[in-house]
């Protein structure tokens, strides 16, 4: 991702998401969906950091990636009720 420049896009998207969450926090902090969005951001950031600098054995890699993807998919499903068109 770094060689193709995609990591710069991911860095910017994550920074934008963090800033938006900060802007939302005073008004929506008690809202259920805000906590899901915050956790979605947090888990996405952890996944991105792991992909950027993986650790563990090769055998563990698949399991770790599957866990991150499952967690992120759950957040997407939880939010889909709010943001579906």
């Amino acid at each position: 991702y770094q060689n193709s420049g995609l990591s710069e896009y991911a860095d910017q998207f994550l920074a934008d998401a963090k800033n938006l969450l900060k802007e939302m926090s005073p008004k929506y902090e008690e809202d259920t969906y805000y906590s899901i969005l915050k956790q979605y951001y947090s888990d996405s950031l952890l996944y991105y950091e792991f992909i950027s600098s993986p650790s563990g054995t090769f055998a563990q890699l698949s399991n770790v990636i599957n866990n991150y993807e499952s967690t992120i998919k759950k957040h997407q499903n939880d939010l889909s009720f709010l943001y579906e068109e």
Side-chain angles (χ1 to χ4, degrees):
Y1 294 112
Q2 290 175 348
N3 291 340
S4 66
L6 292 176
S7 65
E8 291 174 18
Y9 287 113
D11 288 336
Q12 188 59 54
F13 288 137
L14 288 166
D16 290 347
K18 183 178 183 179
N19 289 332
L20 287 171
L21 285 168
K22 284 181 180 180
E23 287 177 27
M24 291 173 63
S25 70
K27 186 174 181 180
Y28 298 103
E29 196 161 17
E30 300 298 320
D31 188 64
T32 302
Y33 288 106
Y34 176 79
S35 65
I36 296 170
L37 280 169
K38 194 172 170 183
Q39 193 60 51
Y40 184 21
Y41 164 79
S42 226
D43 290 334
S44 296
L45 178 62
L46 288 171
Y47 185 29
Y48 176 68
E49 288 172 348
F50 174 77
I51 297 259
S52 297
S53 183
S55 60
T57 66
F58 187 73
Q60 295 170 325
L61 185 64
S62 176
N63 192 32
V64 171
I65 289 173
N66 285 337
N67 285 340
Y68 276 123
E69 289 182 355
S70 293
T71 300
I72 290 168
K73 185 65 176 171
K74 180 189 177 309
H75 297 314
Q76 290 172 337
N77 288 337
D78 289 345
L79 292 168
S80 70
F81 294 108
L82 180 64
Y83 296 108
E84 271 186 354
E85 292 182 22

